[in-house]
Amino acid sequence: MFDLSGKRALVTGASGGIGSAIAKALAKQGAEVALSGTRVGALEDVAKDIIGKAHVLPCNLSDLDAVDRLVPQAEEAMGSVDILVNNAGMTRDNLFMRMKDEEWDDVLKINLSAPFHLTRSAIKGMMKRRFGRIISITSVVGVVGNPGQGNYAASKAGLAGMSKSLAYEVASRGITVNTIAPGFISSAMTDELNEKQHEAILQKVPAGRLGTAEEVAACAVFLASEGAAYITGHTLNVNGGMVMI
Amino acid sequence: MSDIEDRVRKIVVEHLNVEADKVTEKASFMDDLGADSLDQVELVMAFEEEFGVEIPDDAAESIQTFGDAVAFLTKATA
């Protein structure tokens, strides 16, 4: 039911915690994967851990010309892109009144414009093949907001709105477009929190613990699979009950 | 009937699932042949592939009928 043999996936931000977990999980189900990111060494390390076919395709998502070349490069390397995982994202937190134009622009570019460009390139081939999976990683803060993250929350809410609109357009072509909205996931970023901050976070999470990258990756596997063919325009919330919507 | 006309008609018939005799010069993809806007985009993609040409967006928008498509592709491949 969740077998991905013969499918080809492109994952952005594939050297990060969630991105690498997604790439590994897709590969474990039989998919061939293209790993994109900026840190070549880290991507190669992820590729080494993958059993099966993995390709390293470095790309700086702030360069939209390079972004437009990424899907064609992945198609050349693998033959097609059947599954696109828009995972790469960044934060540039600041209080709204202090937020600089660059902080706004950089985050919107990486988190929203780059996925738009990648998705637009990828759906061409998916429409021809009458199969496609677009999965974008958003965030719980795109729904509920977060102080200091006006730019980040806007980009994630934007990604959700973009996905739903596209889901309408391509549903009849066998292409599903969904998002996964993680809550607090254990990562290098949460490792830096002190105990007090950690406690404060856990108080908001009914599950009483942080989530893991693997738990996010499992959702990506599900949405990519044939089993999820009738799910589109959806957001899977992976947040331990922090926000129930 | 030109070779280009034949090839364009074949794509339209296959893609829109219509009878070949309905695909007349004046037949509009959307009004007469049941295409929606996404079908129209796909037809243009199929034409690009079949004829090895690039059809820019503004030109694509002007291709509304079978005759438009044949005329455009005849010119583009001349």
Side-chain angles (χ1 to χ4, degrees):
Chain A
M1 194 184 284
F2 304 122
D3 180 43
L4 298 175
S5 305
K7 298 284 190 273
R8 286 90 175 232
L10 168 61
V11 182
T12 67
S15 63
I18 293 177
S20 61
I22 291 174
K24 287 174 193 171
L26 294 174
K28 205 172 167 194
Q29 297 303 312
E32 184 173 345
V33 290
L35 312 169
S36 191
T38 47
R39 293 176 293 149
V40 182
L43 290 171
E44 278 165 357
D45 287 344
V46 176
K48 268 181 226 147
D49 284 347
I50 285 175
I51 307 154
K53 275 194 179 171
H55 309 263
V56 172
L57 301 176
C59 180
N60 178 356
L61 294 185
S62 67
D63 175 358
L64 292 178
D65 290 328
V67 172
D68 282 333
R69 290 192 295 271
L70 181 56
V71 168
Q73 282 165 355
E75 286 172 338
E76 204 183 311
M78 303 189 289
S80 67
V81 172
D82 309 300
I83 302 160
L84 170 66
V85 184
N86 290 310
N87 164 71
M90 66 178 288
T91 55
R92 282 268 193 286
D93 298 355
N94 210 341
L95 285 177
F96 208 96
M97 289 175 68
R98 298 234 167 86
M99 190 167 286
K100 295 178 184 59
D101 289 0
E102 302 88 74
E103 290 168 338
W104 175 268
D105 291 342
D106 288 353
V107 167
L108 268 289
K109 196 186 224 181
I110 299 278
N111 294 8
L112 186 56
S113 298
F116 160 65
H117 279 251
L118 291 172
T119 305
R120 188 177 57 184
S121 333
I123 50 173
K124 252 190 161 179
M126 291 177 179
M127 288 206 342
K128 277 189 205 156
R129 291 187 302 278
R130 293 289 191 264
F131 178 90
R133 296 285 188 265
I134 310 279
I135 301 165
S136 298
I137 308 303
T138 59
S139 167
V140 65
V141 309
V143 181
V144 298
N146 202 21
Q149 292 200 307
N151 49 2
Y152 184 75
S155 71
K156 295 302 190 179
L159 201 46
M162 180 191 95
S163 298
K164 289 177 191 180
S165 303
L166 176 61
Y168 271 108
E169 291 184 22
V170 297
S172 62
R173 270 51 173 186
I175 304 170
T176 68
V177 190
N178 293 293
T179 59
I180 298 172
F184 286 111
I185 303 300
S186 184
S187 67
M189 211 160 61
T190 55
D191 288 346
E192 282 173 25
L193 300 172
N194 63 39
E195 204 165 314
K196 213 171 148 195
Q197 290 169 315
H198 208 87
E199 284 282 297
I201 285 175
L202 290 187
Q203 272 186 358
K204 297 184 195 161
V205 183
R209 64 172 179 84
L210 299 178
T212 66
E214 287 69 28
E215 287 168 328
V216 178
C219 298
V221 167
F222 171 58
L223 289 175
S225 73
E226 286 291 348
Y230 205 52
I231 298 175
T232 194
H234 188 70
T235 297
L236 261 183
N237 293 292
V238 188
N239 61 31
M242 179 185 164
V243 177
M244 303 187 191
I245 32 175
Chain B
M1 199 187 295
S2 74
D3 161 63
I4 289 178
E5 247 183 272
D6 277 346
R7 285 155 72 194
V8 172
R9 181 173 285 111
K10 189 161 174 270
I11 290 171
V12 174
V13 165
E14 272 173 18
H15 198 89
L16 299 179
N17 225 350
V18 290
E19 301 289 334
D21 58 3
K22 293 261 192 312
V23 187
T24 57
E25 197 196 334
K26 292 258 165 2
S28 154
F29 297 127
M30 288 177 95
D31 296 336
D32 303 316
L33 301 174
D36 62 17
S37 54
L38 194 58
D39 288 320
Q40 188 117 345
V41 172
E42 286 190 307
L43 278 176
V44 168
M45 279 163 56
F47 296 151
E48 287 179 329
E49 195 162 323
E50 170 73 21
F51 292 92
V53 294
E54 281 251 346
I55 304 179
D57 287 348
D58 52 341
E61 277 165 31
S62 70
I63 299 176
Q64 299 290 332
T65 65
F66 174 67
D68 293 341
V70 172
F72 180 89
L73 291 163
T74 305
K75 220 168 145 189
T77 54

